[in-house]
Amino acid sequence: ELGIQVVQLLNDVLRVREMPQRVGAHDDDSAEDLRKFCLAFHDVRAVVVELACQLDMLRHLSTLPPYKRSIVALETMQIYAPMAHALRVEGLREELEDRAFAVLFPSTYSSLATWLREKRASHEEVLQLAVITLSQAVDSDKDLQMLMGSGAVHVQVHDLLGL
């Protein structure tokens, strides 16, 4: 037997799942309103569960007809990925965007992925050199040390959509 909290969470997950079907059009304004509504009126845990379900659906899109794949990818880009970003679930957001981008723009995605693979080694060397240079600059400047506090210099590589 499920506890009351689990039942309430499950009910909220189902309500979040139904939200995209309640909106007639997925234009930018409607999608933004839907995202705000979900984040304001639903349990955050339910939203995260639905984000994970959407990612699972994207991972198994090959079982769907092509038109349905496009619908799922578009919903992901307009509704689910921005919600993941708002909740600061960056790894989830990146994978949602990456997989949806591959469905919506397959040739562009393929070209960018190939280009990145070819350039990755040289870019990693440049990024590591930049980290070393910036770290040395911070170490040698008392004012920078005071501004940074206990911060550190890190590298962040953007996903394909961020390019």
Side-chain angles (χ1 to χ4, degrees), residues 13 16-17 45-55 80 83:
V13 168
V16 170
R17 180 168 292 159
R45 297 173 301 171
V47 175
V48 172
V49 168
E50 185 55 26
L51 292 173
C53 289
Q54 188 71 11
L55 178 58
Y80 294 102
M83 276 200 292

Side-chain angles (χ1 to χ4, degrees), residues 37-51:
F37 182 82
C38 281
L39 293 173
F41 293 105
H42 293 288
D43 188 329
V44 172
R45 297 173 301 171
V47 175
V48 172
V49 168
E50 185 55 26
L51 292 173

Side-chain angles (χ1 to χ4, degrees), residues 7-124:
V7 171
Q8 288 173 337
L9 182 60
L10 181 58
N11 184 41
D12 218 21
V13 168
L14 294 174
R15 289 190 318 192
V16 170
R17 180 168 292 159
E18 292 173 358
M19 293 304 291
Q21 287 96 24
R22 292 184 182 183
V23 177
H26 289 297
D27 58 69
D28 291 341
D29 292 334
S30 298
E32 183 178 358
D33 291 343
L34 182 61
R35 289 191 309 265
K36 287 179 181 178
F37 182 82
C38 281
L39 293 173
F41 293 105
H42 293 288
D43 188 329
V44 172
R45 297 173 301 171
V47 175
V48 172
V49 168
E50 185 55 26
L51 292 173
C53 289
Q54 188 71 11
L55 178 58
D56 185 60
M57 184 182 299
L58 283 170
R59 288 177 176 169
H60 300 96
L61 277 181
S62 61
T63 61
L64 298 176
Y67 77 92
K68 183 66 174 167
R69 291 180 208 161
S70 296
I71 291 170
V72 170
L74 187 58
E75 280 182 356
T76 299
M77 293 296 273
Q78 290 185 319
I79 298 168
Y80 294 102
M83 276 200 292
H85 177 70
L87 293 174
R88 301 194 183 275
V89 190
E90 291 303 312
L92 185 58
R93 178 200 55 84
E94 287 175 3
E95 190 172 351
L96 285 167
E97 286 179 344
D98 199 48
R99 289 181 179 275
F101 182 48
V103 171
L104 293 171
F105 307 102
S107 61
T108 303
Y109 179 85
S110 178
S111 297
L112 280 173
T114 300
W115 180 78
L116 276 178
R117 275 193 300 277
E118 292 170 357
K119 303 292 182 186
R120 178 172 228 127
S122 64
H123 289 164
E124 286 179 4

